[in-house]
Amino acid sequence: MCLAIPGKIVEFSADEHNRALVDVVGVRRHIDTGLLEEDPPRVGDWVLIHVGFAMSKISEADAQDQIRTLSLLGEEIAAREEAEGYGAEDGP
């Protein structure tokens, strides 16, 4: 079970300022960034995501370390499946 997985901000919605498209281990999904309003992420930033919400910003090095750890633990597929549950790239 993944509590939080790293994702890289790819773009922001033109219509909803707290909605971002992220890449999570090769899966692109929309997430909500509203919890990070005090230090909003920008395109290219890495965030930790839990159930479709960005919980905190992290460094790229930390994100890569966490991805490697997930892979070593055999959790990369679970992380990808969790990301797929956030909603399709073309969805709302």
Side-chain angles (χ1 to χ4, degrees):
M1 177 172 125
C2 296
L3 295 179
I5 55 176
K8 186 175 185 177
I9 303 284
V10 175
E11 68 183 26
F12 285 92
S13 170
D15 300 329
E16 301 173 63
H17 98 280
N18 285 337
R19 189 165 177 80
L21 181 66
V22 294
D23 185 290
V24 178
V25 291
V27 176
R28 288 188 172 194
R29 295 294 180 237
H30 288 105
I31 63 163
D32 188 296
T33 61
L35 297 174
L36 302 179
E37 286 186 346
E38 290 184 19
D39 185 18
R42 294 182 291 214
V43 171
D45 283 349
W46 286 86
V47 294
L48 282 179
I49 306 161
H50 178 64
V51 294
F53 290 87
M55 305 300 288
S56 64
K57 290 181 9 179
I58 60 172
S59 70
E60 182 173 3
D62 287 345
Q64 295 301 329
D65 284 344
Q66 187 162 354
I67 291 169
R68 274 192 296 279
T69 300
L70 288 171
S71 182
L72 288 171
L73 294 173
E75 293 291 328
E76 186 174 358
I77 292 171
R80 185 173 317 207
E81 289 171 351
E82 185 171 328
E84 289 170 353
Y86 297 160
E89 179 178 326
D90 297 326

